[in-house]
Amino acid sequence: MSTAVPPPENWDAFCQSIQHTWPRSRWSSVGVVIGCSGGADSVALVRALQHLRSLPAANPPTGFLTLAHFNHATRGEESERDELFVRALAAQLGLPFVGRRSECVDARDEESLRKMRLRFLKESAEQSGARYVAVAHSSDDNVETVLHHLLRGTGPRGLAGIRPYRSLGEDTVLIRPLLNVSRDRIRTALRSINQPWCEDSSNASRNYRRNWIRHELMPLIQSKYPDANEAIFRAARTQRDWVQTIESMAENWRTQHVHIGDTVVIRCDTQTDATVIITAMQQLWSTQRWPMQSMSHTHWQQLYQYVSDALAGVCVLPGTVRMESIDGCVVLQRDA
């Protein structure tokens, strides 16, 4: 009689680190769409979730895993290779596959590609009834994101790095189970089970800013500060805890000071710290679906000065949001 071969130690430890971050009990009874590019990180995430789902348990899993691949069609045959690889991986593991090919091959900037991918994953989750969209950002991705934001002059939220999870709508959550795991550890785990992956040649290009940070800036920093990755990761985690505290305070402030009807009416407050009020205003912009990209640091400060009763009058903010101070309140209305 044959016996099951236990998983290699490296692979088992890797899977247990994911189990610690995102326990199976939270997702095994619902649907999970896994964004899989074919690269090492996403392939490791697929294999790990499938492995954890197959382990014996008192309550057998009732949910499902689906592999989702977005083909940007920007790398010719290499893009086609990646899609075929992910299709084959799904078939090998007996998992459903859903794919989409970009119809906008001219969009090559990082932000446009990211938005197209995320829209596809969100729609895939909604169509399949999945609760989670799982993506494979690693701790190295987080460090590079913090540096990218820092060099752009970001605020506290940007310095907090990539969020472990966030809402994609009323019923869908984006989750990043590998955010505490390094790229090196991910690749070591895959090699321990002889699992291949696809290398994306565009990752070597210095044309993308994040690649420049990865291939040039980080090695330079590490030549002087060998533990820089871990130090930046710890700093981002501390910053994230601080940001969560401020966001909680901002939510409470909105409950007490903001009324949303035909217009948004904000009761002026001369006592609360600017950081809390500005965070509350950014939350308001998000819930109202007002455009935020054009809102600069100067605009948020101007908004704070109106709400803190330091400025009066009428002005128009980006996105045609009209702001007016009236009798100890600030009234906001977006023109149609």
Side-chain angles (χ1 to χ4, degrees):
M1 182 177 68
S2 63
T3 57
V5 178
E9 184 177 349
N10 283 332
W11 178 250
D12 189 55
F14 169 71
C15 291
Q16 286 307 310
S17 69
I18 297 176
Q19 166 68 8
H20 177 75
T21 300
W22 194 34
R24 188 178 80 157
S25 58
R26 295 185 185 175
W27 53 269
S28 61
S29 61
V30 296
V32 180
V33 169
I34 309 171
C36 186
S37 66
D41 299 349
S42 60
V43 169
L45 179 60
V46 170
R47 289 297 310 266
L49 293 184
Q50 173 73 337
H51 172 70
L52 290 171
R53 190 175 184 275
S54 67
L55 294 177
N59 298 314
T62 56
F64 61 87
L65 300 177
T66 296
L67 270 63
H69 178 81
F70 191 87
N71 185 344
H72 288 290
T74 57
R75 293 176 288 118
E77 292 184 0
E78 194 174 279
S79 292
E80 306 307 313
R81 176 209 65 185
D82 292 353
E83 180 176 341
L84 290 174
F85 177 88
V86 178
R87 284 182 180 274
L89 179 64
Q92 173 193 336
L93 300 176
L95 299 175
F97 170 88
V98 58
R100 181 179 299 172
R101 183 185 181 89
S102 173
E103 296 179 356
C104 185
V105 295
D106 293 332
R108 293 175 181 270
D109 64 284
E110 294 171 272
E111 185 62 17
S112 296
L113 297 176
R114 186 190 69 82
K115 285 182 177 179
M116 284 190 288
R117 232 176 8 252
L118 191 58
R119 187 182 308 116
F120 160 66
L121 293 173
K122 180 177 182 291
E123 291 173 357
S124 298
E126 291 172 345
Q127 291 167 6
S128 64
R131 171 63 174 160
Y132 293 102
V133 168
V135 292
H137 291 102
S138 68
S139 63
D140 297 80
D141 291 316
N142 199 20
V143 168
E144 292 159 9
T145 296
V146 170
L147 288 174
H148 178 65
H149 287 166
L150 176 64
L151 296 173
R152 293 175 60 196
T154 189
R157 188 177 298 172
L159 294 178
I162 302 173
R163 294 190 176 201
Y165 57 87
R166 72 178 182 86
S167 171
L168 282 183
E170 292 184 5
D171 301 314
T172 311
V173 176
L174 180 74
I175 186 85
R176 298 179 171 98
L178 301 185
L179 206 53
N180 295 324
V181 187
S182 71
R183 280 196 199 107
D184 285 345
R185 188 178 177 194
I186 290 169
R187 283 154 177 73
T188 298
L190 286 177
R191 292 186 186 104
S192 73
I193 59 170
N194 298 314
Q195 172 62 57
W197 66 85
C198 298
E199 289 290 356
D200 182 343
S201 62
S202 68
N203 287 335
S205 170
R206 268 55 167 186
N207 293 331
Y208 295 114
R209 291 179 182 177
R210 290 179 186 271
N211 287 352
W212 176 82
I213 291 172
R214 178 182 305 177
H215 297 299
E216 297 193 26
L217 181 58
M218 279 308 302
L220 180 61
I221 292 174
Q222 288 169 329
S223 69
K224 300 296 183 182
Y225 299 91
D227 297 325
N229 265 41
E230 179 58 29
I232 295 171
F233 185 82
R234 286 198 309 270
R237 185 166 51 200
T238 301
Q239 188 75 4
R240 186 162 58 244
D241 291 341
W242 183 84
V243 167
Q244 288 173 346
T245 299
I246 295 297
E247 287 181 341
S248 177
M249 295 170 65
E251 288 177 3
N252 291 335
W253 188 91
R254 280 195 300 129
T255 300
Q256 299 171 15
H257 292 82
V258 179
H259 173 75
I260 300 176
D262 293 336
T263 60
V264 175
V265 180
I266 306 166
R267 183 161 51 85
C268 288
D269 179 357
T270 61
Q271 303 297 319
T272 303
D273 186 83
T275 302
V276 174
I277 292 179
I278 290 174
T279 302
M281 293 300 94
Q282 290 170 341
Q283 292 172 346
L284 173 65
W285 250 245
S286 179
T287 59
Q288 294 295 103
R289 299 184 183 277
W290 291 345
M292 292 184 67
Q293 282 191 324
S294 300
M295 287 289 289
S296 67
H297 174 76
T298 301
H299 292 123
W300 293 119
Q301 287 294 330
Q302 183 182 23
L303 180 54
Y304 163 70
Q305 289 177 336
Y306 267 73
V307 174
S308 65
D309 215 17
L311 280 180
V314 181
C315 74
V316 178
L317 295 169
T320 63
V321 177
R322 185 177 186 275
M323 176 168 64
E324 181 178 7
S325 58
I326 305 175
D327 298 330
C329 294
V330 174
V331 178
L332 301 174
Q333 184 170 17
R334 188 182 182 197
D335 293 340

